[in-house]
Amino acid sequence: MGTHALDRDLTELAASARAALVREIDASGAWVGDPVWREAFEAVPRHLFVPYYYVGVVGGYERRWGESPDPRTREKWLRGAYADAPLATRLRDGELVSSSSQPSLMAMMLTALRVRDGDRILEIGAGTGYNAALLAHRLGDDRVTTVDLEPEITESARRHLAAAGYHPAVVTGDGARGAPERAPFDRIIATCTLSSVPVAWLAQCRPGARILSPLATGLIALTVRDAGHAEGRFLHTPAYFVPLRGASRHEEGFVEWDGVPRRARESELFRFLLTLTRDTLEPREAYALWEREGQPRRERYGITVSGEREWAWLDDPEGPYTWPLR
Protein backbone atom coordinates (compact mmCIF):
# COMPACT_ATOMS: atom_id res chain seq x y z
CA MET A 1 0.00 0.00 0.00
CA GLY A 2 1.34 3.47 -0.93
CA THR A 3 2.02 6.18 1.64
CA HIS A 4 -0.89 8.36 0.47
CA ALA A 5 -3.32 5.45 0.60
CA LEU A 6 -2.07 4.54 4.08
CA ASP A 7 -2.49 8.13 5.31
CA ARG A 8 -5.98 8.25 3.81
CA ASP A 9 -6.94 5.05 5.58
CA LEU A 10 -5.60 6.38 8.89
CA THR A 11 -7.49 9.66 8.45
CA GLU A 12 -10.70 7.73 7.88
CA LEU A 13 -9.95 5.48 10.83
CA ALA A 14 -9.28 8.53 13.03
CA ALA A 15 -12.66 10.05 12.12
CA SER A 16 -14.42 6.75 12.83
CA ALA A 17 -12.55 6.22 16.11
CA ARG A 18 -13.28 9.79 17.23
CA ALA A 19 -16.99 9.31 16.55
CA ALA A 20 -16.94 6.07 18.55
CA LEU A 21 -15.21 7.86 21.45
CA VAL A 22 -17.88 10.58 21.45
CA ARG A 23 -20.60 7.92 21.56
CA GLU A 24 -18.83 6.28 24.51
CA ILE A 25 -18.63 9.59 26.37
CA ASP A 26 -22.30 10.19 25.50
CA ALA A 27 -23.19 6.90 27.15
CA SER A 28 -21.27 7.88 30.30
CA GLY A 29 -23.46 10.98 30.75
CA ALA A 30 -20.37 13.12 31.26
CA TRP A 31 -21.69 16.27 29.59
CA VAL A 32 -25.29 16.23 30.69
CA GLY A 33 -26.41 19.86 30.97
CA ASP A 34 -23.77 21.26 28.56
CA PRO A 35 -23.86 19.36 25.24
CA VAL A 36 -21.67 22.00 23.56
CA TRP A 37 -18.69 20.01 24.80
CA ARG A 38 -19.82 17.18 22.54
CA GLU A 39 -19.09 19.42 19.55
CA ALA A 40 -15.57 20.09 20.88
CA PHE A 41 -14.77 16.39 21.29
CA GLU A 42 -16.16 15.70 17.82
CA ALA A 43 -13.94 18.38 16.28
CA VAL A 44 -10.60 18.15 18.12
CA PRO A 45 -8.37 15.29 16.83
CA ARG A 46 -6.87 13.68 19.93
CA HIS A 47 -4.31 11.70 17.94
CA LEU A 48 -2.48 14.91 16.99
CA PHE A 49 -1.80 15.49 20.69
CA VAL A 50 -0.36 12.02 21.37
CA PRO A 51 2.13 11.33 18.56
CA TYR A 52 3.45 8.69 20.92
CA TYR A 53 2.45 7.26 24.27
CA TYR A 54 3.35 4.42 26.59
CA VAL A 55 1.35 1.32 27.42
CA GLY A 56 2.07 -0.68 30.54
CA VAL A 57 3.43 -4.17 29.89
CA VAL A 58 5.03 -6.77 32.11
CA GLY A 59 8.27 -5.29 33.38
CA GLY A 60 7.72 -1.72 32.21
CA TYR A 61 6.21 0.26 29.33
CA GLU A 62 5.83 -0.22 25.59
CA ARG A 63 6.07 2.86 23.35
CA ARG A 64 3.48 3.30 20.61
CA TRP A 65 4.06 5.99 18.02
CA GLY A 66 2.35 7.34 14.93
CA GLU A 67 5.42 7.37 12.68
CA SER A 68 6.09 3.65 12.89
CA PRO A 69 6.90 2.13 9.49
CA ASP A 70 4.67 -0.82 10.35
CA PRO A 71 1.06 -0.10 9.28
CA ARG A 72 -0.35 -2.42 11.92
CA THR A 73 1.61 -0.63 14.65
CA ARG A 74 0.35 2.74 13.40
CA GLU A 75 -3.22 1.47 13.41
CA LYS A 76 -2.79 0.18 16.96
CA TRP A 77 -1.41 3.61 17.98
CA LEU A 78 -4.35 5.40 16.38
CA ARG A 79 -7.00 3.18 17.92
CA GLY A 80 -5.36 3.58 21.33
CA ALA A 81 -5.34 7.36 20.92
CA TYR A 82 -9.14 7.30 20.81
CA ALA A 83 -9.70 4.84 23.64
CA ASP A 84 -11.55 6.28 26.63
CA ALA A 85 -8.47 5.80 28.77
CA PRO A 86 -5.61 7.91 30.16
CA LEU A 87 -2.41 7.76 28.09
CA ALA A 88 1.06 8.03 29.62
CA THR A 89 2.99 10.52 27.47
CA ARG A 90 6.15 11.29 29.46
CA LEU A 91 8.25 9.12 31.74
CA ARG A 92 11.30 10.08 33.80
CA ASP A 93 13.31 7.32 35.47
CA GLY A 94 10.27 5.08 35.14
CA GLU A 95 7.96 7.62 36.83
CA LEU A 96 4.97 9.12 35.03
CA VAL A 97 5.36 12.92 34.79
CA SER A 98 2.75 13.77 32.16
CA SER A 99 -0.29 12.15 30.62
CA SER A 100 -3.39 12.72 28.55
CA SER A 101 -6.35 12.22 30.88
CA GLN A 102 -9.26 9.85 30.27
CA PRO A 103 -11.56 11.68 27.81
CA SER A 104 -14.79 10.93 29.68
CA LEU A 105 -13.25 12.34 32.88
CA MET A 106 -12.10 15.41 30.93
CA ALA A 107 -15.63 15.85 29.59
CA MET A 108 -17.09 15.58 33.08
CA MET A 109 -14.60 18.11 34.45
CA LEU A 110 -15.21 20.58 31.62
CA THR A 111 -18.94 20.29 32.20
CA ALA A 112 -18.48 20.76 35.96
CA LEU A 113 -16.42 23.89 35.26
CA ARG A 114 -19.69 25.58 34.14
CA VAL A 115 -18.06 27.59 31.40
CA ARG A 116 -20.00 30.51 29.93
CA ASP A 117 -19.44 32.18 26.57
CA GLY A 118 -16.85 34.90 26.97
CA ASP A 119 -15.16 33.38 30.03
CA ARG A 120 -11.39 33.62 30.41
CA ILE A 121 -9.88 30.30 31.44
CA LEU A 122 -6.61 29.35 33.12
CA GLU A 123 -5.54 25.72 32.86
CA ILE A 124 -2.89 24.46 35.28
CA GLY A 125 -0.96 21.62 33.66
CA ALA A 126 -0.64 21.89 29.89
CA GLY A 127 -0.02 18.20 29.33
CA THR A 128 -0.32 17.37 25.65
CA GLY A 129 -2.38 20.49 24.90
CA TYR A 130 -5.54 18.46 24.19
CA ASN A 131 -7.60 19.96 27.02
CA ALA A 132 -6.52 23.48 26.03
CA ALA A 133 -7.64 22.72 22.47
CA LEU A 134 -11.09 21.65 23.71
CA LEU A 135 -11.34 24.90 25.69
CA ALA A 136 -10.10 26.99 22.76
CA HIS A 137 -12.61 25.32 20.44
CA ARG A 138 -15.40 26.33 22.81
CA LEU A 139 -14.21 29.84 23.75
CA GLY A 140 -11.60 30.98 21.23
CA ASP A 141 -7.81 31.09 21.45
CA ASP A 142 -7.64 34.49 23.13
CA ARG A 143 -9.74 33.31 26.09
CA VAL A 144 -7.54 30.35 27.07
CA THR A 145 -4.21 30.23 28.93
CA THR A 146 -2.43 27.01 29.83
CA VAL A 147 0.66 26.84 32.03
CA ASP A 148 3.21 24.13 32.83
CA LEU A 149 6.53 24.08 34.67
CA GLU A 150 8.45 22.01 32.11
CA PRO A 151 9.65 23.81 28.93
CA GLU A 152 9.62 20.51 27.03
CA ILE A 153 5.95 20.03 27.87
CA THR A 154 4.90 23.55 26.90
CA GLU A 155 6.90 23.39 23.68
CA SER A 156 5.30 20.11 22.62
CA ALA A 157 1.84 21.29 23.70
CA ARG A 158 2.25 24.44 21.60
CA ARG A 159 3.36 22.31 18.64
CA HIS A 160 0.41 19.92 18.99
CA LEU A 161 -2.05 22.80 19.32
CA ALA A 162 -0.72 24.48 16.18
CA ALA A 163 -0.95 21.22 14.24
CA ALA A 164 -4.62 21.00 15.21
CA GLY A 165 -5.25 24.67 14.32
CA TYR A 166 -5.41 26.19 17.84
CA HIS A 167 -3.27 28.96 19.32
CA PRO A 168 -4.14 29.67 22.98
CA ALA A 169 -1.52 31.24 25.27
CA VAL A 170 0.94 28.56 26.41
CA VAL A 171 3.02 29.73 29.38
CA THR A 172 6.09 28.08 30.93
CA GLY A 173 6.04 28.65 34.68
CA ASP A 174 5.08 27.38 38.12
CA GLY A 175 1.37 26.54 38.01
CA ALA A 176 1.05 27.29 41.73
CA ARG A 177 1.72 30.94 40.88
CA GLY A 178 -0.90 30.99 38.14
CA ALA A 179 -0.43 33.40 35.23
CA PRO A 180 -0.85 36.92 36.63
CA GLU A 181 0.11 38.56 33.34
CA ARG A 182 -2.99 36.96 31.75
CA ALA A 183 -5.43 37.59 34.63
CA PRO A 184 -8.21 38.10 35.56
CA PHE A 185 -9.83 34.71 35.02
CA ASP A 186 -13.43 33.52 35.28
CA ARG A 187 -12.48 29.87 35.59
CA ILE A 188 -9.39 27.91 36.67
CA ILE A 189 -9.10 24.20 35.96
CA ALA A 190 -6.18 22.07 37.15
CA THR A 191 -5.18 18.75 35.61
CA CYS A 192 -2.76 17.86 38.39
CA THR A 193 -3.32 16.93 42.03
CA LEU A 194 -2.94 19.57 44.73
CA SER A 195 -2.27 19.22 48.46
CA SER A 196 -3.81 22.68 49.05
CA VAL A 197 -5.24 25.49 46.93
CA PRO A 198 -2.63 28.15 45.99
CA VAL A 199 -3.68 31.56 47.30
CA ALA A 200 -2.23 33.17 44.16
CA TRP A 201 -5.04 31.68 42.11
CA LEU A 202 -7.73 33.51 44.09
CA ALA A 203 -6.07 36.88 43.51
CA GLN A 204 -6.16 36.21 39.76
CA CYS A 205 -9.89 35.41 39.72
CA ARG A 206 -12.87 37.67 39.26
CA PRO A 207 -15.43 37.54 42.11
CA GLY A 208 -17.75 34.60 41.46
CA ALA A 209 -15.09 32.66 39.54
CA ARG A 210 -15.03 28.87 39.75
CA ILE A 211 -11.96 26.74 40.46
CA LEU A 212 -12.00 23.02 39.70
CA SER A 213 -9.04 20.91 40.75
CA PRO A 214 -8.04 17.41 41.81
CA LEU A 215 -7.22 17.28 45.52
CA ALA A 216 -6.67 14.20 47.66
CA THR A 217 -8.34 11.58 45.39
CA GLY A 218 -11.33 13.74 44.48
CA LEU A 219 -12.32 16.90 42.60
CA ILE A 220 -12.95 20.10 44.53
CA ALA A 221 -15.17 22.83 43.03
CA LEU A 222 -14.62 26.21 44.70
CA THR A 223 -16.47 29.49 44.25
CA VAL A 224 -14.22 32.52 44.69
CA ARG A 225 -15.69 35.37 46.75
CA ASP A 226 -12.68 37.67 46.54
CA ALA A 227 -8.87 37.60 46.48
CA GLY A 228 -8.70 35.97 49.92
CA HIS A 229 -11.79 33.80 50.16
CA ALA A 230 -13.16 30.72 48.39
CA GLU A 231 -15.29 27.76 49.38
CA GLY A 232 -16.85 24.68 47.85
CA ARG A 233 -17.54 20.97 48.00
CA PHE A 234 -16.07 17.90 46.38
CA LEU A 235 -17.77 16.32 43.39
CA HIS A 236 -18.91 12.72 43.62
CA THR A 237 -16.30 11.20 41.32
CA PRO A 238 -12.85 9.85 42.23
CA ALA A 239 -9.91 11.39 40.36
CA TYR A 240 -6.23 10.42 40.20
CA PHE A 241 -3.77 12.83 38.58
CA VAL A 242 -0.04 13.49 38.49
CA PRO A 243 0.91 15.86 41.38
CA LEU A 244 1.48 19.56 40.73
CA ARG A 245 5.19 20.18 40.22
CA GLY A 246 6.82 23.33 41.57
CA ALA A 247 4.64 23.80 44.65
CA SER A 248 5.48 22.04 47.89
CA ARG A 249 3.54 18.81 48.31
CA HIS A 250 3.26 15.83 50.60
CA GLU A 251 4.96 12.58 49.75
CA GLU A 252 3.35 9.22 50.18
CA GLY A 253 4.62 7.50 53.30
CA PHE A 254 4.16 4.24 55.09
CA VAL A 255 0.64 3.75 56.43
CA GLU A 256 0.23 1.83 59.67
CA TRP A 257 -3.05 -0.04 59.32
CA ASP A 258 -3.18 -1.32 62.89
CA GLY A 259 -6.79 -1.35 64.06
CA VAL A 260 -8.29 -0.67 60.60
CA PRO A 261 -10.39 -3.53 59.15
CA ARG A 262 -9.57 -4.78 55.66
CA ARG A 263 -12.92 -3.63 54.24
CA ALA A 264 -12.04 -0.04 55.20
CA ARG A 265 -8.50 -0.32 53.83
CA GLU A 266 -9.95 -1.45 50.51
CA SER A 267 -12.66 1.22 50.46
CA GLU A 268 -11.99 4.04 48.01
CA LEU A 269 -14.07 6.43 50.15
CA PHE A 270 -12.06 5.65 53.29
CA ARG A 271 -8.81 6.21 51.42
CA PHE A 272 -10.15 9.57 50.28
CA LEU A 273 -10.75 10.60 53.91
CA LEU A 274 -7.33 9.30 54.90
CA THR A 275 -5.62 11.29 52.13
CA LEU A 276 -7.57 14.44 52.97
CA THR A 277 -6.68 14.26 56.68
CA ARG A 278 -3.19 12.81 56.39
CA ASP A 279 -1.55 15.54 58.53
CA THR A 280 -4.24 15.43 61.21
CA LEU A 281 -5.71 11.97 61.72
CA GLU A 282 -4.05 8.62 62.13
CA PRO A 283 -5.70 5.79 60.19
CA ARG A 284 -7.36 4.40 63.34
CA GLU A 285 -8.87 7.82 64.15
CA ALA A 286 -9.98 8.32 60.56
CA TYR A 287 -11.64 4.92 60.57
CA ALA A 288 -13.56 5.69 63.78
CA LEU A 289 -14.84 8.95 62.28
CA TRP A 290 -15.70 7.26 58.97
CA GLU A 291 -17.78 4.61 60.71
CA ARG A 292 -19.41 7.06 63.10
CA GLU A 293 -20.55 9.32 60.26
CA GLY A 294 -21.97 6.52 58.12
CA GLN A 295 -19.07 6.14 55.68
CA PRO A 296 -19.64 9.58 54.10
CA ARG A 297 -19.40 10.08 50.37
CA ARG A 298 -17.22 12.77 48.79
CA GLU A 299 -20.03 15.27 48.36
CA ARG A 300 -20.23 15.74 52.12
CA TYR A 301 -16.67 17.09 52.25
CA GLY A 302 -15.57 20.58 51.33
CA ILE A 303 -12.75 23.11 51.52
CA THR A 304 -12.65 26.72 52.70
CA VAL A 305 -9.89 29.23 51.99
CA SER A 306 -9.95 32.35 54.16
CA GLY A 307 -6.89 34.58 54.20
CA GLU A 308 -3.90 32.55 55.30
CA ARG A 309 -6.08 29.69 56.56
CA GLU A 310 -7.28 26.75 54.49
CA TRP A 311 -9.15 23.78 55.87
CA ALA A 312 -11.12 20.74 54.81
CA TRP A 313 -14.40 19.87 56.50
CA LEU A 314 -17.19 17.36 56.71
CA ASP A 315 -20.75 18.73 56.22
CA ASP A 316 -20.11 22.22 57.67
CA PRO A 317 -17.09 24.58 57.39
CA GLU A 318 -17.63 25.58 61.02
CA GLY A 319 -18.69 22.14 62.24
CA PRO A 320 -16.93 19.70 64.54
CA TYR A 321 -14.95 17.96 61.79
CA THR A 322 -12.37 20.29 60.24
CA TRP A 323 -8.75 19.69 59.24
CA PRO A 324 -6.09 22.26 58.28
CA LEU A 325 -4.54 21.89 54.83
CA ARG A 326 -1.73 24.46 55.26
Side-chain angles (χ1 to χ4, degrees):
M1 181 182 292
T3 301
H4 293 300
L6 178 60
D7 288 343
R8 185 172 62 250
D9 286 349
L10 285 176
T11 299
E12 293 172 356
L13 177 59
S16 173
R18 188 156 63 249
L21 173 61
V22 169
R23 289 193 297 271
E24 191 169 353
I25 300 174
D26 264 338
S28 75
W31 42 48
V32 171
D34 197 354
V36 71
W37 288 116
R38 188 183 203 280
E39 301 170 15
F41 278 85
E42 286 175 331
V44 178
R46 191 188 189 201
H47 69 282
L48 295 183
F49 294 87
V50 285
Y52 62 87
Y53 55 87
Y54 299 90
V55 178
V57 295
V58 176
Y61 289 91
E62 172 187 279
R63 187 174 186 261
R64 292 183 183 172
W65 62 303
E67 297 299 321
S68 171
D70 182 356
R72 290 170 298 184
T73 300
R74 291 182 69 183
E75 180 178 342
K76 184 184 292 186
W77 158 79
L78 189 60
R79 290 188 183 279
Y82 286 101
D84 186 24
L87 298 175
T89 55
R90 287 183 182 273
L91 300 174
R92 183 176 298 148
D93 299 326
E95 180 184 355
L96 175 65
V97 296
S98 188
S99 66
S100 180
S101 302
Q102 182 178 5
S104 59
L105 178 59
M106 295 172 69
M108 187 279 292
M109 290 178 67
L110 289 169
T111 301
L113 195 59
R114 299 179 186 172
V115 170
R116 306 159 301 184
D117 293 343
D119 278 351
R120 292 178 60 82
I121 311 293
L122 172 62
E123 178 191 32
I124 309 297
T128 66
Y130 181 49
N131 201 54
L134 294 166
L135 287 162
H137 183 87
R138 165 76 187 269
L139 295 165
D141 290 341
D142 62 328
R143 297 282 173 177
V144 179
T145 301
T146 184
V147 59
D148 204 286
L149 184 64
E150 300 283 348
E152 289 183 7
I153 291 178
T154 51
E155 287 169 13
S156 64
R158 193 178 292 113
R159 189 167 57 250
H160 300 158
L161 283 157
Y166 300 99
H167 301 276
V170 181
V171 177
T172 303
D174 184 351
R177 296 174 182 165
E181 69 279 9
R182 297 278 297 172
F185 300 104
D186 301 286
R187 299 287 186 270
I188 294 180
I189 183 170
T191 56
C192 46
T193 295
L194 307 179
S195 57
S196 64
V197 179
V199 177
W201 294 2
L202 275 60
Q204 295 169 36
C205 284
R206 289 192 174 102
R210 187 170 174 86
I211 296 175
L212 183 69
S213 174
L215 195 148
T217 62
L219 290 169
I220 186 66
L222 300 172
T223 299
V224 178
R225 191 179 82 194
D226 55 41
H229 300 83
E231 188 170 273
R233 290 181 180 268
F234 283 87
L235 306 184
H236 71 280
T237 186
Y240 301 91
F241 285 80
V242 174
L244 174 67
R245 297 183 302 280
S248 62
R249 64 182 180 89
H250 301 286
E251 300 291 343
E252 290 289 343
F254 176 74
V255 176
E256 176 55 65
W257 292 110
D258 183 43
V260 179
R262 178 175 293 275
R263 65 182 181 83
R265 291 181 235 168
E266 295 175 351
S267 168
E268 209 278 326
L269 288 172
F270 176 68
R271 286 177 172 270
F272 168 71
L273 171 62
L274 202 59
T275 304
L276 191 62
T277 61
R278 65 194 322 155
D279 287 337
T280 310
L281 299 180
E282 294 181 358
R284 186 183 301 180
E285 295 175 298
Y287 171 68
L289 185 153
W290 188 67
E291 281 286 275
R292 186 166 61 249
E293 291 300 315
Q295 303 178 12
R297 303 186 68 81
R298 281 184 177 76
E299 304 95 306
R300 289 178 58 187
Y301 298 92
I303 287 176
T304 298
V305 181
S306 182
E308 293 301 313
R309 294 181 61 219
E310 179 177 345
W311 67 95
W313 40 266
L314 176 65
D315 294 331
D316 184 348
E318 305 299 332
Y321 301 123
T322 62
W323 310 281
L325 292 181
R326 56 174 165 82

